Amino acid sequence: MRSAVCRALLGGLASASLPATLGNAELTEQVRQTESAFAKTMADRDHAAFTSFLADETVFMGRKTLRGKAAVAADWKRFYDGPRAPFSWKPERVEVLDSGTLGMTSGPVYDENGQRIGTFNSVWRRDKDGRWRIVFDIGCPSCETTPSPTPSPPQ
């Protein structure tokens, strides 16, 4: 009896871990949702939540390069001060390596009035705990991106 309970508990723990057989479409949707939740931290004015998406070794590239979670969190704190978000963004293009280890998001950045002011490009890594965390980020002046095409079914 005790052995059966242990097997059941261990089986439950194993099934709670990240499935090894997620397809690219599922992984792509995970990254899309992660990027959307990351962007929502700005709208919600939640700097702590923003910081939770950063990998320890993250690199944000802009006018200056910020290296590491602490440096990015400290520099971006100013964007979270005040009642109104100074900008917003959303993913339009999302791609994930077939290995499921890295994903990339890209899309428009809008000013506080909803006018497009740029494009962001972010690289996400799936950590051992199954969470996607941002490892590289760079923004640039506005350029058009096209949404990820829906994959054709295999023939």
Side-chain angles (χ1 to χ4, degrees):
M1 176 84 168
R2 183 181 257 171
S3 175
V5 170
C6 287
R7 278 195 307 273
L9 287 172
L10 289 174
L13 289 174
S15 65
S17 64
L18 189 67
T21 57
L22 286 176
N24 192 277
E26 292 89 357
L27 292 168
T28 298
E29 185 56 27
Q30 280 183 1
V31 174
R32 182 182 310 282
Q33 289 179 12
T34 300
E35 179 69 62
S36 295
F38 185 54
K40 189 174 183 307
T41 69
M42 180 65 73
D44 291 348
R45 318 306 295 132
D46 190 345
H47 183 258
F50 166 83
T51 302
S52 74
F53 286 93
L54 303 174
D56 288 339
E57 61 183 340
T58 194
V59 176
F60 274 41
M61 297 168 282
R63 289 188 177 105
K64 60 184 175 183
T65 297
L66 303 169
R67 300 185 77 80
K69 182 176 187 171
V72 172
D75 192 72
W76 274 61
K77 178 74 171 105
R78 62 194 161 104
F79 298 129
Y80 285 82
D81 292 338
R84 191 167 174 196
F87 57 89
S88 63
W89 69 94
K90 68 177 185 176
E92 281 188 348
R93 182 116 196 218
V94 180
E95 297 293 339
V96 176
L97 293 179
D98 289 340
S99 66
T101 56
L102 291 175
M104 183 170 179
T105 54
S106 184
V109 177
Y110 302 100
D111 68 15
E112 61 186 10
N113 298 313
Q115 297 298 309
R116 186 171 182 164
I117 57 171
T119 301
F120 77 89
N121 296 285
S122 301
V123 176
W124 296 84
R125 178 179 63 207
R126 189 170 64 167
D127 286 343
K128 290 179 183 177
D129 64 4
R131 285 196 57 200
W132 290 95
R133 290 190 174 81
I134 194 165
V135 289
F136 288 103
D137 183 86
I138 189 168
C140 61
S142 189
C143 58
E144 296 300 317
T145 60
T146 55
S148 297
T150 303
S152 301
Q155 297 186 14

